[in-house]
Amino acid sequence: MKRIKTISRLFEQICGVLGSFLCIISGSFILLIESGGAQGISFLAILAIIGAFIGFISSYYVNKSSESAGVGFIVAAILVLIGTPHLAKLCSILLLIAGISALFRK
């Protein structure tokens, strides 16, 4: 009987969920204070929230297909980096670490 070696993807899931959660908070905060007069901010915040949902979906599918989840994490990191100016650095770094780890860890 052959042993099948499985790799735990808990690290990617934690980084993905944490980065996505922080991004939703940041995007919601930007939408909340959007009434300050800056035009175009709401579109960027919605773009960041879409990136966060892609991060959540990738966190769910990382155990099934780590390659597609890694690409999803990287796409989410780019959308988050474009969408939110301040907290985006931490969120996108967490999503990028999860994406690179999902792609290259065997």
Side-chain angles (χ1 to χ4, degrees):
M1 186 170 195
K2 256 187 163 176
R3 284 186 151 180
I4 298 173
K5 185 177 180 181
T6 60
I7 297 173
S8 174
R9 299 289 179 178
L10 186 64
F11 175 73
E12 290 90 347
Q13 287 177 336
I14 290 172
C15 284
V17 168
L18 187 62
S20 298
F21 181 72
L22 289 174
C23 179
I24 286 181
I25 290 173
S26 175
S28 299
F29 184 70
I30 288 173
L31 283 176
L32 182 69
I33 63 170
E34 191 264 337
S35 63
Q39 298 295 328
I41 297 288
S42 62
F43 172 73
L44 293 176
I46 290 172
L47 191 66
I49 291 173
I50 290 171
F53 283 123
I54 291 172
F56 277 129
I57 292 169
S58 297
S59 295
Y60 178 74
Y61 285 110
V62 75
N63 287 327
K64 294 178 177 87
S65 174
S66 64
E67 290 85 17
S68 61
V71 171
F73 281 132
I74 292 173
V75 168
I78 292 170
L79 288 176
V80 168
L81 190 60
I82 291 171
T84 56
H86 301 293
L87 194 58
K89 291 178 181 77
L90 176 65
C91 300
S92 64
I93 286 173
L94 285 171
L95 289 170
L96 191 63
I97 287 171
I100 291 173
S101 179
L103 283 176
F104 295 116
R105 195 171 78 156
K106 299 288 177 190

